[in-house]
Amino acid sequence: MSTVTVTKRRAPVRPARVLLHLFLAGTALAWLAPLMWALYAALRPYSETSTKGYVSWPGKLGFDNFTNAYQQSGMTHYFVNTLLVAVPAVLLALFLSSCVAFYVSRFDFRVNLALLLVFTAGNLLPQQVIITPLYRLYLLVDLPGITVSGKLYDSALGLVLIHVAFQSGFCAFVLSNYMRMLPHELTEAALVDGASVWRMYWQIVLPLCRPAMAALATLLSIWIYNDFFWAIVLISTGENMPITSALKNLSGQYFTDPNLVAAGALLTAIPTLIVYFVLQRQFVSGLTLGANKG
């Protein structure tokens, strides 16, 4: 009995493929270079870099800058401030935008497209355009007993509302397209069985939107967490600032330690990395949904 040996021929390496991999590797290194340089600076004491320069071989590496940055900036307090803004803003934006998306995608009304365009148009307006009127409006709104300042200005509630206002349009647009891909027979069968509109939304459609909701939650968490613009405009008290302002405490009036600031910047990036890694599977599935359609 003869045996036939099957040998697999290796496909020839094409120059175009080699160039593509070189380009991708170079792009990845270009994106990682600032992060790795910040990490390298954060691990070195400033006394060494001031003597040898930043482009030099390190004589000592340690985590002293991270410890000092965390203690000097009062980072725990600012982390709490950021959570008080980011968590309610993300949940409220997803809830309101999912309600709008459910309405415009599952019900046939004449104002469906116009309503979606109104929500989406808010994202086309530059935030800098409404600084002055919004600032004056926040000063005029009195909330005695609700906020510490007694006004909408200089409060976490004010930041939550502005983030919800600006992020809901994008979320409604994404979720409406996602919900249109779901079979209409699901809600039609539920309607025949006597299900209410709220039950169709909460128990049928919304659970099926988990990948899209997770992807949006990841993006919103990162965007709101990293916001510095609205915190500067709408917050005046230093104790009420979010985490992005904690780095200011690391800068002195006459001297700033760049290594210490680099360590503080890396510490502030940790929560966003945690959110991404926790929701990574849902985030990727939400982004790639429909890529294999057809």
Side-chain angles (χ1 to χ4, degrees), residues 75 79 82-83 218 221-222 225-226 243 264-278:
M75 203 164 287
F79 272 130
T82 304
L83 289 178
T218 305
S221 300
I222 295 174
Y225 179 88
N226 290 326
I243 188 64
L266 292 174
L267 287 176
T268 59
I270 292 177
T272 58
L273 294 176
I274 294 176
V275 170
Y276 174 75
F277 285 120
V278 170

Side-chain angles (χ1 to χ4, degrees), residues 125-182:
L125 182 67
Q127 299 179 1
Q128 294 81 357
V129 174
I130 63 172
I131 289 180
T132 301
L134 188 69
Y135 176 78
R136 296 177 64 88
L137 177 64
Y138 269 51
L139 288 176
L140 293 175
V141 177
D142 294 325
L143 297 175
I146 299 178
T147 62
V148 178
S149 62
K151 293 182 177 294
L152 192 58
Y153 178 74
D154 197 21
S155 66
L157 178 60
L159 288 181
V160 170
L161 293 180
I162 193 63
H163 286 308
V164 171
F166 268 96
Q167 304 300 340
S168 295
F170 172 75
C171 295
F173 175 77
V174 174
L175 289 175
S176 63
N177 292 331
Y178 190 100
M179 291 181 182
R180 285 193 178 96
M181 299 177 60
L182 302 178

Side-chain angles (χ1 to χ4, degrees), residues 30-249:
W31 278 98
L32 290 175
L35 178 62
M36 301 306 297
W37 191 262
L39 179 61
Y40 175 66
L43 292 174
R44 300 181 67 184
Y46 179 75
S47 58
E48 180 179 303
T49 55
S50 62
T51 303
K52 299 181 179 180
Y54 284 93
V55 185
S56 59
W57 188 258
K60 177 183 178 182
L61 296 177
F63 295 94
D64 294 339
N65 285 328
F66 291 94
T67 304
N68 296 332
Y70 190 87
Q71 295 175 351
Q72 294 181 21
S73 63
M75 203 164 287
T76 303
H77 174 75
Y78 293 101
F79 272 130
V80 174
N81 288 350
T82 304
L83 289 178
L84 292 177
V85 173
V87 174
V90 170
L91 295 178
L92 192 58
L94 290 178
F95 173 72
L96 295 178
S97 60
S98 63
C99 291
V100 175
F102 176 76
Y103 176 82
V104 300
S105 63
R106 313 308 288 186
F107 295 95
D108 188 14
F109 292 99
R110 292 184 177 181
V111 297
N112 277 11
L113 182 59
L115 182 62
L116 184 60
L117 288 177
V118 169
F119 272 83
T120 309
N123 292 91
L124 304 179
L125 182 67
Q127 299 179 1
Q128 294 81 357
V129 174
I130 63 172
I131 289 180
T132 301
L134 188 69
Y135 176 78
R136 296 177 64 88
L137 177 64
Y138 269 51
L139 288 176
L140 293 175
V141 177
D142 294 325
L143 297 175
I146 299 178
T147 62
V148 178
S149 62
K151 293 182 177 294
L152 192 58
Y153 178 74
D154 197 21
S155 66
L157 178 60
L159 288 181
V160 170
L161 293 180
I162 193 63
H163 286 308
V164 171
F166 268 96
Q167 304 300 340
S168 295
F170 172 75
C171 295
F173 175 77
V174 174
L175 289 175
S176 63
N177 292 331
Y178 190 100
M179 291 181 182
R180 285 193 178 96
M181 299 177 60
L182 302 178
H184 283 269
E185 290 78 8
L186 293 174
T187 52
E188 292 174 356
L191 188 63
V192 171
D193 292 338
S196 63
V197 175
W198 172 257
R199 187 172 183 180
M200 287 189 294
Y201 160 76
W202 188 256
Q203 296 185 352
I204 298 177
V205 175
L206 199 60
L208 297 176
C209 297
R210 186 177 299 174
M213 297 284 282
L216 289 174
T218 305
L219 293 175
L220 291 182
S221 300
I222 295 174
W223 291 342
I224 296 174
Y225 179 88
N226 290 326
D227 173 71
F228 186 71
F229 176 76
W230 288 117
I232 289 295
V233 175
L234 301 178
I235 299 293
S236 60
T237 305
E239 293 296 321
N240 297 335
M241 288 284 187
I243 188 64
T244 49
S245 64
L247 296 179
K248 294 195 306 180
N249 296 337

